[in-house]
Amino acid sequence: MTEPLAAPPKPLNPARSGVFRRLVQNPLGLAALIILAVVVLAGIVGPLVSPFAPNTADLVNALGAPGTAGHLLGTDSAGRDVFSRLLVGAQSTLLAAALAAIVALVVGLPAGLMAGYFGGWFDAVASWCTNVLMSLPAIIILLAASAALGRSVWISMTVFGVLMSPGIFRLTRTSVQAVRGELYVDAARVAGLSTASIIGRHILFVVRAPLIIQTSIVCGIAIAIQAALEFLGLGDPLTPTWGVMLNEGFINIYSSPILAVWPGVAISLTVGSFVVLGNALRDALEDSPKVKRARPIKLRAPQTESISVVDLAESDHLLSVSGLGVGYPQEDGSTKIVVSDVSFHVDRGEVLGIVGESGSGKSQTAFSILGLLPAEAEITRGNITFDGIPLVSAGQGPTGGHRLSQGRLAQLRGKRIAYIPQEPMSNLDPNFTIGYQLVRPLTKVLGLSKADARARALELLTIVGITNPQRTFDAYPHEVSGGMAQRVLIAGAVSCNPDLLIADEPTTALDVTVQAEVLDLLRDLQARFHMGVVLVTHNFGVVADLCDRVVVMQNGRVVESGDVRSILRNPQERYTQTLLSAMLEGKTPMTMLTMPVPDSDVKVGLS
């Protein structure tokens, strides 16, 4: 029995689909877009269509009124055509603003991504440099740069871009720190995606909206700062910019007040349009409907042979964990041990259950194998070996703990070691379709073409019991139920033919009927692909249903281990007996207590 897919959303009006359409449907966004389009167009074609050369003087018509001698907006104190200078000045003004924004992004964005994602010494050094830059008075630095390097708008805007980069850095760093701990980021790592791929797609995609707003604000501020510097007389008078024109207008404010109006209006409209457009574009991106038109794909019949594992090399143990210890440093210098001296092994085609109550160290043990422990955690002792490949070396790490080989793990995760989490909805990125999240590991890890990866993803969705794989493939995570999402994660876990599957309480978040379906599915896939499976659970019923051997953990230690039949029939440890006695099977249901109500025949049930 398979779980039905949630009802599809109503078709969207085609006029509302697409970022650009949503942008132009916003009145403020449309107005800002039109104004900026006019300014950009003026900057591109202005030098070609201007009626006069911008620096050609005509002293006879100096300070001429609008319309005088063919000058549409009049002339300045040197008799230069104001309209021509306004058109040509748009180009240099916009290019200068773009230069400042590009410099700020080039300096601040990569540093913010690395500091937010990796943390550590780079975060400390980058944050210190950012604080130093933010403490400097920007206008003084710009004045000093102009005095030392010359009156060049390009030099001034480059320096200004560097001074604005701390804003980009801190915004990016904060946004990345907010999402780097999300479960779907860990899921991408386990799927075998590289760090660059995770940062470039899952992380950068999340921080795009605030970056768009910040960039538009930087462009607006750059235009204002450029105009302010040139208003103070620090601009190049031979370069026609709006700031130079504004300076000219204020010099002649009493003789021809209208000279200050034209550049002032141009600067105000452009700066305001950048800010408004940034907010409108952010809204258009963030409010985009999480559906897309399904593309017809010819679904081939399931070919389970194509994804089966054949000719596996025989070895004593697929996974071996010996004397594992995990601890967390405390403020007083001590280390809190959460896993101590844990040892077990898993063979090919075998299902090992790790059972215990919450806080017993089950998940910490599983995360140690996957290399997903928090940054502050230390593997204090022990060895982990996968198919003869040491994952935890015996040498001491920089913090005194054993060194975890992230390089080897990166080569194994998503290829030979797969992971099924306990919270399906949190391990799917809400910004991408289910199909995209299944296809990307297949193209990156196995090197398949997009067409072959799509066909294989649809095949996997069919194998895990999804009746309409095409519909699920095109859906976003919020459009499917929890049971369906868990099936999707199982499909993703087995997509790259893993030798070892680690399932961390895969049925905890599901209702009872869906739990049974998922357990049946795991049993079928394990037998079909001959995988070794580590099943982390607190439910002895799940252990009895799926596992060949079981490890019982309490307070970070292994208290008992053995084959499932022996442990269930004759547990030796008191803790194991307590866990078994807590199961509901075989218990007599409690009856409802009743008590008479005075002067009434009504019975009131008490729970």
Side-chain angles (χ1 to χ4, degrees):
M1 179 178 178
T2 58
E3 190 177 30
L5 187 67
K10 296 181 180 180
L12 293 173
N13 185 346
R16 294 187 59 83
S17 63
V19 174
F20 181 75
R21 289 197 176 113
R22 287 189 298 277
L23 178 62
V24 298
Q25 287 175 348
N26 184 336
L28 292 177
L30 178 60
L33 192 63
I34 292 174
I35 293 173
L36 289 179
V38 171
V39 174
V40 171
L41 183 63
I44 295 174
V45 304
L48 303 176
V49 302
S50 58
F52 299 91
N55 289 323
T56 300
D58 184 7
L59 297 178
V60 176
N61 295 309
L63 298 178
T68 303
H71 298 286
L72 181 62
L73 300 180
T75 59
D76 60 11
S77 60
R80 296 171 296 191
D81 183 62
V82 173
F83 181 66
S84 299
R85 291 175 65 81
L86 202 63
L87 289 177
V88 177
Q91 184 180 82
S92 56
T93 300
L94 291 177
L95 288 177
L99 176 61
I102 291 173
V103 170
L105 286 173
V106 168
V107 175
L109 180 57
L113 288 173
M114 294 179 63
Y117 188 79
F118 295 107
W121 67 266
F122 183 86
D123 184 19
V125 173
S127 297
W128 182 85
C129 294
T130 298
N131 294 334
V132 170
L133 280 177
M134 295 187 70
S135 67
L136 299 176
I139 192 65
I140 301 300
I141 298 298
L142 290 172
L143 292 174
S146 297
L149 303 175
R151 296 183 178 184
S152 171
V153 65
W154 312 116
I155 294 177
S156 297
M157 289 300 100
T158 301
V159 174
F160 180 72
V162 174
L163 294 175
M164 291 298 292
S165 62
I168 300 291
F169 169 82
R170 302 186 90 178
L171 179 64
T172 305
R173 174 179 175 270
T174 302
S175 300
V176 171
Q177 287 178 334
V179 300
R180 71 176 180 182
E182 294 291 339
L183 294 178
Y184 62 78
V185 175
D186 286 340
R189 292 171 59 193
V190 174
L193 297 184
S194 64
T195 300
S197 179
I198 294 173
I199 294 177
R201 296 296 298 176
H202 295 278
I203 300 295
L204 188 58
F205 193 89
V206 173
V207 303
R208 60 174 182 163
L211 280 178
I212 288 173
I213 297 178
Q214 187 71 11
T215 303
S216 65
I217 291 175
V218 168
C219 289
I221 295 176
I223 293 176
I225 291 294
Q226 175 190 353
L229 291 175
E230 293 167 340
F231 172 73
L232 295 175
L234 298 177
D236 184 0
L238 297 179
T239 302
T241 62
W242 292 345
V244 170
M245 294 179 64
L246 190 64
N247 180 44
E248 173 75 15
F250 272 88
I251 290 175
N252 299 281
I253 190 68
Y254 296 108
S255 303
S256 181
I258 199 170
L259 282 179
V261 172
W262 308 121
V265 170
I267 293 171
S268 300
L269 287 177
T270 305
V271 172
S273 297
F274 268 118
V275 176
V276 172
L277 182 63
N279 284 274
L281 185 57
R282 187 278 314 269
D283 294 339
L285 289 169
E286 292 299 293
D287 297 339
S288 58
K290 299 297 184 184
V291 295
K292 69 176 183 179
R293 186 176 299 174
R295 288 181 288 178
I297 296 180
K298 185 178 180 181
L299 179 61
R300 63 183 181 180
Q303 300 175 357
T304 57
E305 297 84 359
S306 64
I307 61 174
S308 62
V309 179
V310 295
D311 298 330
L312 288 173
E314 294 296 332
S315 64
D316 292 335
H317 299 306
L318 178 64
L319 174 70
S320 176
V321 178
S322 176
L324 178 67
V326 178
Y328 288 82
Q330 303 298 301
E331 293 182 357
D332 59 2
S334 62
T335 299
K336 180 180 180 181
I337 302 299
V338 296
V339 173
S340 176
D341 196 24
V342 171
S343 299
F344 59 85
H345 68 269
V346 182
D347 295 329
R348 286 182 170 86
E350 181 184 43
V351 182
L352 173 71
I354 302 179
V355 67
E357 60 186 334
S358 297
S360 61
K362 308 185 303 297
S363 295
Q364 293 291 309
T365 302
F367 290 162
S368 299
I369 301 171
L370 291 166
L372 295 181
L373 289 172
E376 63 273 15
E378 295 179 358
I379 296 183
T380 58
R381 63 188 304 270
N383 296 278
I384 301 176
T385 304
F386 173 77
D387 199 16
I389 303 172
L391 302 183
V392 174
S393 63
Q396 293 296 312
T399 59
H402 281 40
R403 184 177 292 107
L404 184 66
S405 178
Q406 291 290 352
R408 295 192 183 105
L409 277 170
Q411 296 175 355
L412 295 173
R413 284 189 307 226
K415 301 175 184 177
R416 301 191 62 192
I417 301 177
Y419 172 59
I420 301 175
Q422 61 177 304
E423 297 181 10
M425 301 305 292
S426 300
N427 282 270
L428 292 172
D429 193 331
N431 297 296
F432 299 97
T433 63
I434 288 173
Y436 174 86
Q437 298 182 63
L438 288 176
V439 166
R440 189 164 179 81
L442 293 173
T443 57
K444 293 295 183 179
V445 176
L446 297 185
L448 299 180
S449 66
K450 287 188 177 180
D452 291 340
R454 289 173 65 87
R456 189 165 188 172
L458 290 168
E459 178 184 344
L460 288 165
L461 292 176
T462 303
I463 290 175
V464 297
I466 294 178
T467 55
N468 194 337
Q470 177 66 66
R471 183 177 171 186
T472 305
F473 185 93
D474 293 321
Y476 280 81
H478 73 273
E479 296 176 316
V480 301
S481 64
M484 192 71 71
Q486 191 66 285
R487 291 176 184 272
V488 169
L489 290 178
I490 294 174
V494 302
S495 63
C496 296
N497 303 337
D499 297 325
L500 175 66
L501 179 65
I502 298 178
D504 185 11
E505 303 192 22
T507 62
T508 298
L510 307 177
D511 59 66
V512 177
T513 56
V514 179
Q515 284 185 23
E517 296 174 6
V518 171
L519 291 177
D520 290 340
L521 174 61
L522 287 175
R523 185 187 303 106
D524 176 68
L525 292 176
Q526 186 272 334
R528 179 183 301 185
F529 300 143
H530 196 62
M531 297 179 294
V533 177
V534 176
L535 180 64
V536 177
T537 183
H538 60 272
N539 190 338
F540 252 116
V542 174
V543 171
D545 192 14
L546 283 181
C547 299
D548 302 306
R549 291 187 301 108
V550 62
V551 171
V552 182
M553 293 186 63
Q554 180 187 23
N555 297 329
R557 296 177 178 271
V558 175
V559 297
E560 190 169 3
S561 64
D563 65 276
V564 171
R565 187 182 299 272
S566 299
I567 296 297
L568 291 179
R569 291 183 175 179
N570 187 27
Q572 300 297 312
E573 297 295 329
R574 183 176 182 84
Y575 178 71
T576 307
Q577 298 171 2
T578 303
L579 288 179
L580 288 171
S581 65
M583 297 175 60
L584 296 178
E585 286 79 357
K587 300 294 181 62
T588 303
M590 295 181 62
T591 58
M592 180 179 294
L593 299 178
T594 61
M595 60 178 296
V597 178
D599 302 325
S600 174
D601 294 330
V602 179
K603 301 290 185 180
V604 178
L606 300 178
S607 60

